Amino acid sequence: MFKRISNKYLRYLAIFIYFVIIFVCAIELNFLWLFGYEPDMHDIKNPTISVASEVYTADGKLIGKYYHENRSPIEYKDLSPALINALVATEDVRFYKHGGVDFYSFSTGMLATAKGDKRGGSTITQQLAKNLFATRKRKSQGVMRHIPVIKTLVYKIKEWLTAYKIEHVYNKQQILTMYFNTVPFGNNSFGIKTAAVKYFNKQPAQLNPAEAATLIGMLKATSTYNPITNPERSLQRRNTVLGQMQKYGYLKPEEYAANSKLPLNLDLSYVDDESTGDSYLRQAVEKWLKKWCKDNDYDLYEDGLKIYTTIDSRMQQYAEDAVAEKMKMLQKRFYNIWGNKNPWRDSKGVEIKDFLLKAEQRLPVYAVLTKKYKGDTVQINKYFNTQKKMRVFTWHGERDTTMSSVDSIKYYTKLLNTGMMTMEPSTGKIKVWVGGIDYKYFKYDHVNQAKRQAGSTFKPFAYLTALDNGYSPCDKFTDKPVSINYTYEGKQETWAPNNADFKFSGMEMSLRWAMGKSVNSITAQLTEKVGWDKVVDYAHRVGIESPLKAIPSVSLGSNDVSVYEMVRAYSTFLNKGQKVDPILVSKIVDRDGKTVAEFTLKQEQVISPETAWLMLYMFRGGMEEPGGTSQALWEYDGLWRSPLWKTENQIGGKTGTSSDYVDGWYMGITKDLVTGVWVGDDDRSVHFNSSESGEGSHTALPIFGSFMQRVYADKSLGYGFGLFPKPWVKISKDYNCPSPRMPKDSGEVDSSWVPVDTSAVLPPAVSTEGEKNETKPPR
């Protein structure tokens, strides 16, 4: 046939058109499954509605769902003409003239891009095809997605074909309505109805040209032109859209002039109930799966997945109950201590005078107000001091009240928060995740987002370094003043730490006793012997991922770490020296019931089994050595002279308190579980003012004790009391080192003893933590 065409150029053109037709037909038919899914006419007439993904506990209880609750549809009559005009003028000026694909705009766009002025050529209908049928997602592309140029050509042709089908089934008004109902506007806003309410507290039909242009301007890049976070760029983009509306006759010159002079006039007063059904755990799962979803091309909010976590619903409830019980008491204690005084203080205890002003300035609305009132502080202050109706969190339930914004800042700043995580080291499964006291009012997750000074919970890494480099639990140091000279960032520094009581006993102590009693001076001496850089190395080796300053005070917890990291690191000791990657999700099933992912234990031997077992023996010192900082657990039923101890139970752990009692920690270890608890205020300037109220033994430890009471009482969990494991290998180092006034261990790792007179060891109410005032990096 082609030979009959005598003109070679026409012949080449005919051949090209022939192969284009064949190529397009192959894409439409998904020939040999090379090109992936292409929506047919049935799909076009019945668009697949996104299906919520569901999250379950390990025992099958629904935790929450992921879905775009803001996609509530609107009809064409609900759209402001300004919205439609702004969209057409900016995104597709020939919208009413083409049949889905505008080859004229496509060609001019290609020429402009070639000249350096990158310009899109997609029509509104093509964009709808992309949004509604995910034509660019990996699952829709087939094998050809691996060929760079072909990949782009395939998804472009798919969009053209889909756009033509859409135009064949729907009229222009219906297409515009579907577009506005599906397009994202940033800040978790999907669809024009949600966006109009979120940014302007108006319905779409009420938007004026300037407001419409602001929202349409965001479509080019929702983050770059976000009116909340980038008001200047948003304003410029809005005026560009208004300019397009004037250019194509949708605005008169005087209307353009009037609208382009207006400020953004955002109204952020509307608060939707986005947190309904939400939780720290649900958010943690989403974050944990973020990379997996990206790598495997899944959307949690649309693909109808069933996600099974490792969380035990009963243990989770026990943890939340323990947190509610103890945090309510701690908050009452905090209020009683400060009374009518403001608790925001510097390191010398002096009130920070500009604290509230700086808190106001950190709020997103402050930048909006500054722009709106052109920096007029009188007007800004009036806004913050105006009384408003609001609902607030209290430990007696939510309460409707009236207060100003500045009073709200004062109120919430004084509320203490917490983070708690429990893991089963042998499997890597996370059993408990409590990100804070109430997700609805405090979105920040204190398990893996917050990083705080670890205080003395970091000391075990210094003792780990020592045990793995020739020392034994029985090696002795003297509690005496210490002065360490070192160089940091090119400067000569001297560090001379104090003990908690600012006294040095002069006593000779074993390393186990020193760690159990949390003696700063001996920890500092040990750190100097083994090297603070080595302490950093070992901390990273067992599971700490945060950057750590290699300075002498590192062992006293001067660096910021998360609860998640600390639980992971402590789990290495109970897991025979193998570091584990914590598992939060065990299995994912798609909407058809097919298992698409299973997550199993990944572990790496990072310290020897002998050193790991010796560290467990060291941790027992917190309960068994004189002055051990875990001994406040004696106050809890079932944790000392109770049936739990008579039936041979052992608990290891470490308290921690950062400078000025800002952060309280407890890391608890049983034969099966590792639990980390942090307590403090989100603002580090707000804290307790004494060891009797603010030490980790008085803030975080009680939560652990209350939680373990509940866990031990529930026999169905399978986490009964018992002894730490016997040595996994032969122990070559001396560890059977009795301390003064303590009975000598029998030498058998599974032996258990009960002091005849526990009062001769340490009264239950006494705590001798050795952390306070010592976690600040030396100056």
Side-chain angles (χ1 to χ4, degrees):
M1 177 185 72
F2 295 120
K3 290 183 178 179
R4 296 176 185 171
I5 303 176
S6 57
N7 187 304
K8 67 177 182 178
Y9 296 110
L10 289 177
R11 185 166 64 249
Y12 292 153
L13 179 61
I15 293 173
F16 174 75
I17 293 173
Y18 177 78
F19 278 106
V20 166
I21 293 172
I22 295 296
F23 186 63
V24 170
C25 290
I27 292 174
E28 174 66 18
L29 297 173
N30 190 18
F31 182 68
L32 296 179
W33 299 277
L34 293 173
F35 304 98
Y37 161 77
E38 161 71 14
D40 57 22
M41 292 304 293
H42 178 269
D43 296 327
I44 300 297
K45 293 177 181 179
N46 302 279
T48 301
I49 300 174
S50 60
V51 180
S53 294
E54 298 175 334
V55 191
Y56 294 89
T57 61
D59 47 335
K61 293 193 176 181
L62 181 65
I63 297 172
K65 298 181 180 182
Y66 301 98
Y67 59 97
H68 295 311
E69 58 184 353
N70 295 331
R71 288 187 186 272
S72 53
I74 60 170
E75 298 180 17
Y76 183 80
K77 64 181 177 61
D78 299 320
L79 293 168
S80 161
L83 273 171
I84 298 169
N85 296 338
L87 177 67
V88 172
T90 307
E91 296 292 324
D92 188 2
V93 71
R94 291 166 50 83
F95 174 70
Y96 295 104
K97 298 179 180 178
H98 62 67
V101 180
D102 186 356
F103 287 105
Y104 173 78
S105 294
F106 177 74
S107 302
T108 57
M110 292 286 288
L111 289 173
T113 300
K115 294 178 180 178
D117 178 22
K118 189 174 182 180
R119 190 188 307 167
S122 294
T123 64
I124 290 173
T125 315
Q126 285 176 252
Q127 293 178 44
L128 176 61
K130 183 175 64 176
N131 293 337
L132 199 56
F133 297 101
T135 53
R136 297 192 183 187
K137 291 189 74 172
R138 185 181 301 176
K139 289 181 292 185
S140 302
Q141 292 177 9
V143 179
M144 287 298 179
R145 71 176 183 270
H146 298 294
I147 306 174
V149 177
I150 299 297
K151 167 187 172 180
T152 303
L153 187 59
V154 167
Y155 76 61
K156 205 67 185 175
I157 292 175
K158 280 189 178 184
E159 284 178 11
W160 291 345
L161 293 172
T162 306
Y164 277 126
K165 294 173 187 175
I166 290 173
E167 292 270 353
H168 179 74
V169 173
Y170 302 102
N171 62 39
K172 294 293 185 178
Q173 289 186 357
Q174 291 172 320
I175 290 170
L176 286 171
T177 305
M178 286 193 291
Y179 180 89
F180 275 114
N181 279 331
T182 57
V183 70
F185 285 92
N187 291 100
N188 200 29
S189 302
F190 292 83
I192 191 62
K193 183 176 181 180
T194 304
V197 172
K198 180 178 285 290
Y199 295 109
F200 297 105
N201 197 16
K202 290 183 177 182
Q203 293 299 312
Q206 300 172 321
L207 296 174
N208 62 38
E211 294 163 342
T214 300
L215 296 179
I216 298 303
M218 292 179 67
L219 299 179
K220 184 175 183 180
T222 55
S223 297
T224 304
Y225 301 110
N226 188 302
I228 297 175
T229 56
N230 291 307
E232 292 184 2
R233 287 183 178 178
S234 177
L235 193 65
Q236 293 172 0
R237 178 63 183 162
R238 181 204 69 180
N239 289 344
T240 299
V241 174
L242 290 171
Q244 289 291 103
M245 294 174 72
Q246 180 195 11
K247 178 180 178 180
Y248 293 108
Y250 293 112
L251 283 180
K252 296 177 182 179
E254 58 272 20
E255 291 175 320
Y256 165 77
N259 280 278
S260 61
K261 291 177 182 178
L262 292 173
L264 286 175
N265 283 332
L266 299 181
D267 183 348
L268 306 178
S269 59
Y270 177 80
V271 179
D272 55 14
D273 196 15
E274 288 182 348
S275 62
T276 300
D278 211 342
S279 66
Y280 295 106
L281 186 53
R282 177 183 172 279
Q283 290 298 317
V285 170
E286 181 176 10
K287 184 176 180 180
W288 202 84
L289 288 176
K290 185 176 181 180
K291 185 177 185 303
W292 181 87
C293 287
K294 183 178 180 181
D295 292 344
N296 295 277
D297 208 30
Y298 280 100
D299 187 330
L300 282 182
Y301 287 81
E302 295 184 356
D303 289 341
L305 303 173
K306 283 185 168 51
I307 302 154
Y308 295 91
T309 69
T310 58
I311 299 296
D312 187 291
S313 66
R314 296 160 296 177
M315 292 177 70
Q316 180 72 19
Q317 188 61 55
Y318 296 151
E320 291 176 4
D321 290 344
V323 163
E325 173 195 4
K326 297 302 180 183
M327 289 300 293
K328 184 177 180 179
M329 295 169 59
L330 287 171
Q331 192 64 55
K332 184 177 180 180
R333 181 197 304 170
F334 186 82
Y335 285 147
N336 289 338
I337 286 172
W338 288 106
N340 294 325
K341 296 179 181 178
N342 291 325
W344 34 88
R345 308 277 163 155
D346 62 20
S347 59
K348 296 179 181 179
V350 178
E351 182 181 342
I352 302 170
K353 297 300 181 183
D354 60 349
F355 179 86
L356 292 175
L357 176 60
K358 288 184 177 179
E360 292 173 8
Q361 292 173 344
R362 287 193 295 268
L363 296 174
V365 70
Y366 194 90
V368 176
L369 293 171
T370 301
K371 187 79 175 178
K372 179 178 181 179
Y373 297 121
K374 299 179 180 179
D376 186 342
T377 56
V378 174
Q379 291 295 324
I380 295 173
N381 290 336
K382 183 179 178 181
Y383 172 88
F384 277 101
N385 286 284
T386 300
Q387 296 289 309
K388 309 175 183 70
K389 290 183 179 180
M390 61 180 70
R391 177 168 290 187
V392 298
F393 166 86
T394 78
W395 279 111
H396 301 286
E398 292 180 298
R399 183 166 63 91
D400 291 319
T401 186
T402 301
M403 64 171 67
S404 67
S405 296
V406 71
D407 287 335
S408 175
I409 293 172
K410 288 180 183 179
Y411 176 74
Y412 280 110
T413 301
K414 293 178 182 179
L415 290 178
L416 301 175
N417 223 311
T418 189
M420 179 179 179
M421 172 178 154
T422 297
M423 188 169 93
E424 186 179 73
S426 62
T427 63
K429 293 179 179 179
I430 299 171
K431 295 295 182 178
V432 164
W433 188 296
V434 181
I437 57 174
D438 190 284
Y439 181 80
K440 182 176 179 179
Y441 290 91
F442 306 92
K443 296 291 193 288
Y444 198 60
D445 193 315
H446 298 86
V447 171
N448 65 346
Q449 280 185 292
K451 293 189 177 184
R452 304 295 287 251
Q453 285 191 342
S456 287
T457 57
F458 210 86
K459 284 179 181 175
F461 302 129
Y463 291 88
L464 162 66
T465 308
L467 293 182
D468 210 45
N469 286 274
Y471 288 85
S472 79
C474 297
D475 286 333
K476 295 183 177 180
F477 282 73
T478 302
D479 178 15
K480 63 182 181 180
V482 182
S483 181
I484 300 175
N485 297 314
Y486 68 102
T487 302
Y488 181 68
E489 294 184 344
K491 295 181 180 179
Q492 291 294 322
E493 305 280 358
T494 300
W495 183 53
N498 284 309
N499 286 330
D501 56 5
F502 297 93
K503 298 177 182 178
F504 301 96
S505 67
M507 293 181 64
E508 198 175 54
M509 297 182 177
S510 68
L511 292 184
R512 186 181 193 248
W513 188 7
M515 182 174 129
K517 196 174 186 295
S518 200
V519 181
N520 288 339
S521 66
I522 292 179
T523 305
Q525 293 175 59
L526 191 65
T527 301
E528 184 177 26
K529 291 284 186 183
V530 300
W532 41 87
D533 54 338
K534 270 194 173 182
V535 174
V536 168
D537 175 63
Y538 272 86
H540 282 148
R541 189 182 300 185
V542 296
I544 300 297
E545 296 179 340
S546 294
L548 303 171
K549 289 183 180 179
I551 52 179
S553 65
V554 64
S555 298
L556 271 61
S558 57
N559 289 284
D560 287 355
V561 292
S562 67
V563 171
Y564 180 93
E565 291 175 283
M566 291 295 283
V567 171
R568 182 189 190 191
Y570 272 58
S571 293
T572 302
F573 306 128
L574 196 57
N575 196 42
K576 304 178 183 180
Q578 296 181 90
K579 178 180 68 176
V580 300
D581 288 338
I583 303 172
L584 183 57
V585 174
S586 59
K587 183 175 69 172
I588 301 176
V589 177
D590 67 15
R591 66 173 73 184
D592 297 320
K594 178 184 176 183
T595 299
V596 293
E598 289 186 277
F599 302 91
T600 55
L601 178 64
K602 294 180 181 178
Q603 52 189 357
E604 175 190 2
Q605 194 77 44
V606 292
I607 57 174
S608 70
E610 178 182 5
T611 298
W613 186 86
L614 287 173
M615 283 301 298
L616 293 182
Y617 177 72
M618 296 280 285
F619 280 116
R620 283 169 47 194
M623 289 291 288
E624 299 172 5
E625 295 284 352
T629 60
S630 292
Q631 290 174 357
L633 289 173
W634 288 354
E635 300 173 12
Y636 292 87
D637 291 338
L639 292 180
W640 189 245
R641 286 177 293 181
S642 68
L644 293 182
W645 284 95
K646 288 178 182 177
T647 321
E648 300 182 332
N649 192 47
Q650 290 173 335
I651 291 179
K654 189 72 193 74
T655 54
T657 312
S658 67
S659 299
D660 303 323
Y661 315 104
V662 172
D663 306 288
W665 289 76
Y666 190 72
M667 300 297 302
I669 305 174
T670 68
K671 67 180 179 62
D672 302 304
L673 303 169
V674 172
T675 298
V677 182
W678 167 86
V679 173
D681 194 275
D682 283 326
D683 194 296
R684 301 188 195 214
S685 301
V686 179
H687 47 77
F688 286 101
N689 61 1
S690 69
S691 59
E692 290 77 16
S693 58
E695 283 186 342
S697 59
H698 297 296
T699 59
L701 179 146
I703 294 175
F704 172 79
S706 181
F707 168 66
M708 287 309 303
Q709 280 181 306
R710 291 168 164 85
V711 171
Y712 282 142
D714 189 343
K715 305 300 182 185
S716 68
L717 292 174
Y719 296 117
F721 40 77
L723 304 177
F724 278 6
K726 295 181 180 182
W728 305 296
V729 295
K730 182 179 179 181
I731 305 301
S732 61
K733 295 179 180 179
D734 182 20
Y735 65 88
N736 190 20
C737 39
S739 298
R741 296 182 290 160
M742 295 289 283
K744 184 179 177 67
D745 196 290
S746 68
E748 293 293 331
V749 71
D750 62 344
S751 67
S752 178
W753 54 266
V754 179
V756 176
D757 181 11
T758 55
S759 64
V761 180
L762 186 71
V766 175
S767 172
T768 56
E769 269 193 277
E771 298 84 23
K772 66 177 183 179
N773 302 317
E774 289 307 323
T775 57
K776 290 182 181 177
R779 298 178 180 177

